[in-house]
Amino acid sequence: MNPEQIPFVRFAARFGVEDRVLAAFMLAGPLVVSSLALLGRSAVTSVFAGAYVGLFVLYVAYRGVATDGA
């Protein structure tokens, strides 16, 4: 199955999301939030949310440095 067959992914791909990693972060964000809402606050969900935010910040910083030198 091609990921672009999923309606929201197709919409995001059509309107200028050229970075697949950033698009994955955008699509994973609502899943992270909804899993926190369903499971409640615990050590596991706090680590999960912290890892998501940390990886997102690191990736954006990496892309900022990588595109700045090019």
Side-chain angles (χ1 to χ4, degrees), residues 1-13 20 23-24 27:
M1 177 178 184
N2 186 356
E4 291 188 6
Q5 291 176 335
I6 301 170
F8 185 73
V9 175
R10 182 177 44 234
F11 176 78
R20 290 185 182 264
L27 294 173

Side-chain angles (χ1 to χ4, degrees), residues 13-30:
R14 186 182 308 157
F15 290 102
V17 179
E18 296 175 4
D19 188 348
R20 290 185 182 264
V21 176
L22 193 58
F25 274 117
M26 284 185 358
L27 294 173

Side-chain angles (χ1 to χ4, degrees), residues 1-60:
M1 177 178 184
N2 186 356
E4 291 188 6
Q5 291 176 335
I6 301 170
F8 185 73
V9 175
R10 182 177 44 234
F11 176 78
R14 186 182 308 157
F15 290 102
V17 179
E18 296 175 4
D19 188 348
R20 290 185 182 264
V21 176
L22 193 58
F25 274 117
M26 284 185 358
L27 294 173
L31 296 175
V32 171
V33 171
S34 60
S35 68
L36 294 176
L38 291 174
L39 299 174
R41 187 172 182 175
S42 69
V44 173
T45 57
S46 295
V47 168
F48 183 58
Y52 172 79
V53 170
L55 289 171
F56 179 76
V57 168
L58 286 173
Y59 181 73
V60 170

